[in-house]
Structure formats: structure tokens, C-alpha cells
Amino acid sequence: MTTATDVHAHDDHHEHHPAGIMRWLTTTNHKDIGTMYLTFSLIMFLVGGMMILGVRAELFKPGLQLMRPEFFNQLIGVHALVMIFAALMPAATGFANWLLPLQLGAPDMALPRLNNWGFWLLPPAAILLTLPFTLALFGIGDGAVATGWTLYAPLSVQGGLGVDFAIFSIHLLGISSVLGSINIIVTIFNMRAPGMTLMKMPLFAWGWLITAFLLIATIPVLAGAVTMLLTDRHFGTHFFDAAGGGDPILFQHLFWFFGHPEVYILLLPVWGFIPHILSAFTRKPVYGYKAQVYSFWAIGILSVVVWAHHFLTVGMPVPALLYFMYSTMSISLPLAVLFFCWIANMWKGSMSFETPMLFATGWIILFGIGGLTGLVLADVAADAQYHHSYFVVAHFHYTLFAGGIMGVMAGVYFWLPKMTGRMYNEKLGKLHFWLTAIAFNMTFIPQFFLGLAGMPRRIPDYALQFADFNMISSISAFVLGLSQLLFVYNIVSCVRGHGEKAADKPWEGAEGLEWTLSSPPPYHSFTEQPVIK
Amino acid sequence: MNAEDRALANRKLVKKLLWVIAGAILFTIALVPLYNVMCQVTGFNGKTGNSAEQAAKSMKVDNTRWVTVEFTSNVMPGLAWTFYPKQTSIRVHPGQIELATYVAKNIANQEVIGQAIPSVSPGQASLYFKKIECFCFQRQTLKPGESKEMPLTFFVSPDLPKQIETITLSYAFYSAVK
């Protein structure tokens, strides 16, 4: 966290910001807002994690032990919504706020007041999403949204008031990310230091630029789809209600027209992190910068034309199936380019394995498994067996937990010394990595096999033959959950000013404008823009 | 760039981006009719067109081929009816006009209006399954305890692709809405 005491002679008038809670409510400073985003993200990560530990506890043994199936359904759906919209997306936005001005040589984000509003929409959205749990305790309604995060009609048309809460929560989250994206695009286009052309921009900025474009193009589609759901539920329209001539499959098309780009919205900022980290700890420049930028674009564009592979079994005609299969598989080409660039970056580098590098290398392997299992699912013939099974659950956790959250963790360890001015505890950091990586694999590898054996997802009970693998998966999930406390400890102790003081450039191989500033950076980053030659 | 120029440039870019968002919202709204047109033109998703009397007049019966048409039924929640086909399947020649009958009974103690929604699978066959007269063209009203036979006149177009030998027609009866 930045301290408020960095006094600079030329921006005195900015230094008298309010203290206490008013500082955070009214701040327009990119670092303060970034800090709030990251804090919110960490809290919601733990909340979403606790929800799924409830689910894993129920799945520890066959039969119903701990909860009603309705409550189980609520937990899995809200877990996904919380992790995607309230943990992973705000983490990426938090990093964008913190790092983009530092990396681009800008004094702040382009639209600071919009930025503040963008953040403060998030806490009400999170409350809306989880409030029905509390209301149900007082006998109001029947709990949170129980449709799974995909909100498929007709189930969501018939669901209880939790669905309405989720719809309004999604509206707020959507507005927040659209505002954040506008701000990021404007910052990237207008606020770069003189001499920093687009093709000299750090890859993190490139990843976020494409993410931001995807967000403003697809979030309105999700907002529109859930609004139609709302009018179907309460105002007598029949967009998705077959009784009035609507079509529930239309909802799936609308949802995944947003939902598939969303995957890359979550991943592109992380793909931006990784080259920075690999380059720092291999002491080599970023390999294949241009190839990576073009691959980002290729994947961003392809991501909006492949949506129906999420419901290949819905009964589409063969030509449509073939189109969605081949277009989906074609994404693996630019993605393979990225993988080769990351691996080539390490080739003959003088590597050292500090915590961020451990997370980055582990990330490459685990995200690779996520990508390859995705290819299996894209195969129309194979998907008929794997669809809606635990294979899918394992696949998307390899892409979104390993590929998303572990990538974010790599970034946290890499930039935490810059943000807080303190070094984290390296031993605990490494322990955190190994516990996370091992427990993660032990949680989800059994789920691949459960899925292959035919265990369906989103069901609170299962047949006896699945018992052993579920037990392994549940125990590992608890280890995975508990080991995140090390992560929290490391962050909190840095923020509270424990640990060694960090140098301005704590990693000898690191490159980029952010390392030219002090650790932690002054309240206003670059009051005079650096010139890039 | 000085601060004023930058503020101006920022405002310009924000305006452009707001247009992009407005475009995305319009696109979403346009997707609804586009989707329905797409389904009707291509027969995706088992959506069948309505009356097919015109096509029936200028058509030859293909006596060399048999197609099995199967009938199924569903009653959706909220409608207290029983509803089932009198015959589970019929063998027809493509082009030959046939009659099938469903039976519906109102088991509620009040008058109820229902609407049947058809669906044909496989989806590719839906373009070639033509209904001349169908109880699903209108809403159906049943008095308490009343039972009614509901006829359906149809034919399978001779253009039906060769590999399709069985067509399943499914009706879902919904409580009719305002």
C-alpha cells in the first residue's frame, strides 16, 4: 500500500487528500484504486473458496450428508460467479490500475473519477449476489441463485428471487467492467510516455488492451441477455419461454457469445504478466514480442466466433458442429505460438527460481494441460461423452485456476515488492507455490478420471464407484484452500511493513519503467513523463 | 501533449468507445429476431414453419421410400392436462398426406387454455416436415374434465435427405399465456 507521506514539492495541492475511510471512498489515485481492487479480489477469492469447500465436503462421501441439494446448487453457481466476476476480473483490473500508469510512464489513469466509480460498484454487486443466502436464514426467499453460473433458461426463468439478485448483480458488475475498460483503453491510447509507440508497449498493456476491447463488445450482450431473462420472469415477455414462442436455446447462444470471450478476458492480462516474469528470471529479453502481440489479436478475434462449442450437444446441424469444432481448434494455433515464445524465452536463459518464477513455470505446464484438454472437448465426437461431466470441471479449473489465478499469484509475488516497498518471505512464498501446485493437481486430476468414467457435474450425490477419487479430490481441495493462507500472510505482512525493504528494482533481470521508480512508488507516478528512445 | 489537449483527446476517445458499447447493445437486441429468422430458414433447432398447403398441391408421392414418423408428447408444469398421441408411429411415403391424432384431457376443475409447441428432430428434417392443419396453429380450450381429439394433417417432403429414415415429432403443451 502506498503511504500518504511521499511529499513532492510540485504536487503539494494533491497531498491533502482526506484521511481514513473518506480517502478510499473519494480517491481518484490509480494506486489507491488498484489496491482496493486487489483487496476486494483477495477477499472474494477466499469467500468463493469457502463456498466450494462446502461443496467438496458434501462430495467427500456418496449420499447427502451436510446440505440440501438446493443449497448445493446455490453454492456451485455463486462460487463460479464470485470467482469469475469478483475475484479474477477485479484482480486483473487492480493490476491494470496499479501497473499501466507505471509501465506506460503516465502520471495516472486517464479518467480517474470514472475509475473510482468503477470500483465502488463492485462491493454492492458482491452484496447483491450473496445477500439471498442471508435472507434465506430469515425465511425470505429460498436462497441464492441455484441455476449454476450459466443461468440457463428455462430453469432461470422459473427460479426464485436469487435469480433476480444475480441479474442485478451482473448488471452492476458489467457496468463496472465496461467503465474500467473505457478507462484502460483511453489510458493506453492517450497517456503513453513520448516515444513509446504501441509496438514498444509492455505486453501486459497489450494483453489488457485486447481484454478491454473484448469487454466493451461482449459485456453488453450478457447484460442484454440477463435483462431479457428479467423481463421474461416478471414482465410477460417470452424471449426464452417456449410457451409464448420463445426459445431457451437462444439464451445459450447469447450467454456464450459473451461467455467464451470472457475466458480470454480472464486470461489475456495473465498472458501479459508471464513474459515480464520469464524475462526477469531468465535474464533475457522478451522472446518473440511481435509474435506474441499478433497472437493476442488473433485469439481475441477468434474468441468471438466460437461460442457454440460450449453446447455442442444441444442438437445443432452437422455443418454448424463442424464449423464450431474447427474454429475452436484453430485457436490452438496462436496459443501454440504463445507457448513456444514462453518456452523459447527460457531456452538457455540463466534462470533462477524465486517464487514468481516458480509460479510462472508451473503456470506454463498447468495451463498447457488446460489448453490440451480443451482441444479434446472441442472435438464434436468426443464431446458427446465428456459434455457436462467432471472432465469439463477439471478442464476449466486448469485454465481458470492454474491459467488464471496462479498466473495472478505470479504477478502478485513479482510486483508486491514494488507496490509495498517490502520483500515477502521467500521461503513461505515457495512453500505456498509447492502446496498450491501439488494440491491443485491432486484435486483436479482425479476429476478428469471421474469425468471419463461418467460422473456428471453439478449433482450433490454420486454412484459408489466414484467414492475413492472424490475423497482424494476433497482432501486435496482443503489442502489447496488452507495453503492460500500463506499467500494472505505474505501479502499482509508486506503491506504492514514487515520484511526487508525492497530495492527500487528487486529483481536484477527485470525490465520496464515501473522499476525506475522508488519502491513503493510516489503517490503520483510520473509527474514528468520519461522519454522512450 | 499539454493537459488540456489530453483532456480533449480523452473525451473524444470516450465518446467513440461509448458508440461501440451502444452498437454492442443494439447488436444484442437484433440477435433475437436474427436468431428466429435463422432457425426458420435453416430449420436449426427443430423449428418448423406453419401451414404448408401450397407446397402440397404440386407434389408427387415417392412410393419407393418409407419414412417412419414417431410421435411424442410432453405436458409442461403449470398445465393440468393429460396429453398423448393415439399412435406412437406411422410409416409414410414422402409426399403422401397423412392424419395423426393426439388426445388431450383437462383434469383441472376449471376451464384452461393451452398452446402446443412442436419440435422436430433430427433438426435437419424439420425443413421437410410440413403441417397442413395442426391443433398447434391455435390455442386450445378445454372445459373442466373435457377430453378432445386433436388432429394433425401433415406430409413429409420428397426432398427429405436420403439418410433420414425416422423423424420424431414432439409436442410440448404449455399453459397459454396472456
Side-chain angles (χ1 to χ4, degrees):
Chain A
M1 227 177 279
T2 47
T3 58
T5 50
D6 301 312
V7 176
H8 292 267
H10 43 267
D11 53 11
D12 267 346
H13 56 290
H14 281 307
E15 289 305 316
H16 301 293
H17 46 72
I21 182 73
M22 283 313 282
R23 167 183 170 186
W24 300 102
L25 279 172
T26 60
T27 185
T28 53
N29 179 278
H30 75 98
K31 297 189 200 75
D32 284 353
I33 293 174
T35 303
M36 292 196 295
Y37 266 109
L38 291 173
T39 312
F40 176 78
S41 159
L42 183 63
I43 293 169
M44 294 314 285
F45 173 59
L46 298 174
V47 170
M50 282 190 279
M51 288 178 186
I52 210 63
L53 288 184
V55 167
R56 280 317 319 175
E58 173 60 51
L59 291 173
F60 182 73
K61 276 200 307 193
L64 296 177
Q65 277 81 236
L66 301 172
M67 54 187 75
R68 289 172 299 121
E70 293 82 3
F71 186 64
F72 180 95
N73 292 346
Q74 295 167 19
L75 283 184
I76 52 170
V78 180
H79 159 76
L81 287 167
V82 163
M83 285 303 197
I84 292 167
F85 288 101
L88 206 41
M89 284 172 75
T93 318
F95 269 106
N97 271 298
W98 249 102
L99 291 178
L100 283 180
L102 301 185
Q103 292 190 331
L104 300 175
D108 204 310
M109 297 295 278
L111 311 163
R113 270 174 289 189
L114 193 75
N115 207 4
N116 174 290
W117 196 37
F119 171 77
W120 281 109
L121 286 174
L122 287 181
I127 291 169
L128 273 183
L129 194 57
T130 48
L131 190 63
F133 281 126
T134 323
L135 290 181
L137 292 181
F138 296 98
I140 306 167
D142 43 12
V145 57
T147 59
W149 84 286
T150 52
L151 300 166
Y152 277 180
L155 184 58
S156 53
V157 178
Q158 299 156 353
L161 59 76
V163 180
D164 299 313
F165 276 89
I167 289 171
F168 287 123
S169 171
I170 287 173
H171 280 146
L172 288 185
L173 293 163
I175 296 170
S176 162
S177 23
V178 166
L179 294 180
S181 303
I182 292 179
N183 196 7
I184 285 165
I185 296 174
V186 176
T187 304
I188 291 176
F189 278 138
N190 289 355
M191 305 288 279
R192 280 168 296 149
M196 184 181 279
T197 59
L198 282 175
M199 287 308 277
K200 282 184 185 168
M201 210 162 66
L203 280 168
F204 175 66
W206 264 116
W208 243 113
L209 182 63
I210 294 156
T211 290
F213 274 119
L214 286 176
L215 276 168
I216 63 170
T218 62
I219 286 278
V221 178
L222 175 69
V226 296
T227 307
M228 291 177 203
L229 196 57
L230 188 73
T231 61
D232 266 17
R233 286 169 58 78
H234 298 296
F235 303 108
T237 59
H238 305 101
F239 289 106
F240 311 124
D241 190 353
D247 191 338
I249 308 294
L250 172 62
F251 183 82
Q252 301 191 14
H253 282 282
L254 290 175
F255 182 85
W256 287 110
F257 188 84
F258 148 81
H260 195 73
E262 172 70 9
V263 176
Y264 297 98
I265 286 164
L266 297 169
L267 291 177
L268 274 161
V270 175
W271 297 345
F273 285 162
I274 299 298
H276 292 272
I277 298 168
L278 290 177
S279 149
F281 295 103
T282 54
R283 284 116 186 126
K284 279 175 66 182
V286 170
Y287 183 88
Y289 174 87
K290 276 187 186 169
Q292 296 200 40
V293 172
Y294 297 147
S295 298
F296 285 3
W297 274 112
I299 292 169
I301 291 164
L302 281 173
S303 74
V304 289
V305 297
V306 298
W307 69 93
H309 67 225
H310 290 272
F311 45 100
L312 286 175
T313 55
V314 85
M316 278 179 281
V318 175
L321 289 176
L322 290 178
Y323 163 73
F324 283 113
M325 172 167 86
Y326 288 125
S327 57
T328 303
M329 288 187 168
S330 71
I331 293 186
S332 62
L333 299 176
L335 193 53
V337 171
L338 288 177
F339 269 96
F340 287 125
C341 286
W342 297 326
I343 294 167
N345 209 149
M346 293 189 282
W347 179 254
K348 292 192 175 173
S350 58
M351 295 212 280
S352 57
F353 289 93
E354 286 87 346
T355 311
M357 183 61 168
L358 278 179
F359 269 97
T361 40
W363 177 89
I364 293 177
I365 297 166
L366 296 179
F367 178 53
I369 296 174
L372 290 172
T373 50
L375 270 179
V376 176
L377 288 169
D379 185 308
V380 171
D383 188 62
Q385 182 189 348
Y386 303 146
H387 187 80
H388 215 267
S389 76
Y390 260 84
F391 190 90
V392 180
V393 176
H395 154 70
F396 68 69
H397 281 95
Y398 269 85
T399 53
L400 294 183
F401 186 90
I405 287 176
M406 284 178 72
V408 169
M409 285 172 178
V412 169
Y413 281 112
F414 188 60
W415 280 292
L416 195 59
K418 172 56 64 186
M419 292 173 177
T420 61
R422 298 285 171 168
M423 293 305 284
Y424 58 87
N425 185 323
E426 188 68 51
K427 261 189 197 147
L428 288 182
K430 284 182 175 163
L431 182 66
H432 172 224
F433 168 76
W434 286 111
L435 282 174
T436 302
I438 293 170
F440 169 77
N441 280 299
M442 295 283 286
T443 307
F444 290 102
I445 288 175
Q447 295 188 9
F448 278 125
F449 292 101
L450 286 170
L452 289 176
M455 179 170 160
R457 60 190 285 214
R458 292 178 169 160
I459 309 282
D461 192 3
Y462 49 83
L464 274 181
Q465 73 266 29
F466 302 134
D468 292 347
F469 274 12
N470 268 301
M471 188 181 280
I472 298 171
S473 185
S474 285
I475 294 170
S476 312
F478 274 88
V479 177
L480 181 61
L482 288 175
S483 53
Q484 302 319 311
L485 296 178
L486 292 171
F487 185 52
V488 177
Y489 172 83
N490 251 338
I491 294 174
V492 170
S493 66
C494 281
V495 171
R496 296 187 60 189
H498 304 306
E500 285 173 56
K501 264 190 155 354
D504 290 357
K505 189 173 138 180
W507 317 115
E508 57 164 333
E511 279 182 39
L513 284 179
E514 70 267 37
W515 310 109
T516 62
L517 292 169
S518 59
S519 291
Y523 196 64
H524 290 277
S525 305
F526 288 98
T527 40
E528 270 171 54
Q529 288 199 298
V531 176
I532 314 294
K533 289 183 191 85
Chain B
M1 231 197 267
N2 66 39
E4 256 171 55
D5 289 346
R6 176 171 281 157
L8 195 67
N10 288 354
R11 223 169 296 150
K12 267 187 173 171
L13 187 52
V14 170
K15 268 186 199 153
K16 280 185 202 161
L17 294 172
L18 288 175
W19 280 113
V20 175
I21 293 165
I25 293 171
L26 285 177
F27 172 70
T28 312
I29 296 166
L31 275 175
V32 179
L34 279 177
Y35 174 82
N36 286 327
V37 169
M38 175 98 172
C39 287
Q40 260 149 29
V41 171
T42 60
F44 285 6
N45 204 17
K47 286 206 176 181
T48 57
N50 276 349
S51 175
E53 270 175 276
Q54 281 304 312
K57 282 173 187 157
S58 57
M59 190 183 51
K60 279 192 202 137
V61 178
D62 181 357
N63 283 317
T64 60
R65 232 181 122 188
W66 285 106
V67 177
T68 306
V69 180
E70 300 177 335
F71 301 92
T72 66
S73 63
N74 288 297
V75 180
M76 301 312 280
L79 184 67
W81 287 12
T82 59
F83 173 60
Y84 57 89
K86 274 183 91 170
Q87 64 292 303
T88 51
S89 71
I90 302 182
R91 291 232 298 160
V92 298
H93 291 302
Q96 181 188 335
I97 295 173
E98 281 286 348
L99 178 77
T101 312
Y102 277 72
V103 180
K105 184 178 182 196
N106 183 359
I107 53 176
N109 53 10
Q110 60 197 26
E111 187 174 280
V112 178
I113 306 174
Q115 168 72 57
I117 305 285
S119 172
V120 169
S121 55
Q124 295 102 303
S126 57
L127 280 183
Y128 307 96
F129 187 87
K130 309 279 190 188
K131 296 188 291 293
I132 295 171
E133 185 52 59
C134 174
F135 58 90
C136 61
F137 291 172
Q138 294 97 28
R139 292 175 179 179
Q140 301 290 334
T141 310
L142 290 183
K143 297 197 174 65
E146 185 189 354
S147 173
K148 204 195 238 176
E149 294 211 343
M150 297 191 171
L152 156 75
T153 321
F154 70 94
F155 64 91
V156 176
S157 161
D159 304 330
L160 181 75
K162 288 273 174 255
Q163 74 273 17
I164 299 178
E165 292 170 351
T166 304
I167 298 176
T168 305
L169 174 66
S170 156
Y171 281 103
F173 237 118
Y174 288 90
S175 166
V177 275
K178 310 116 237 174

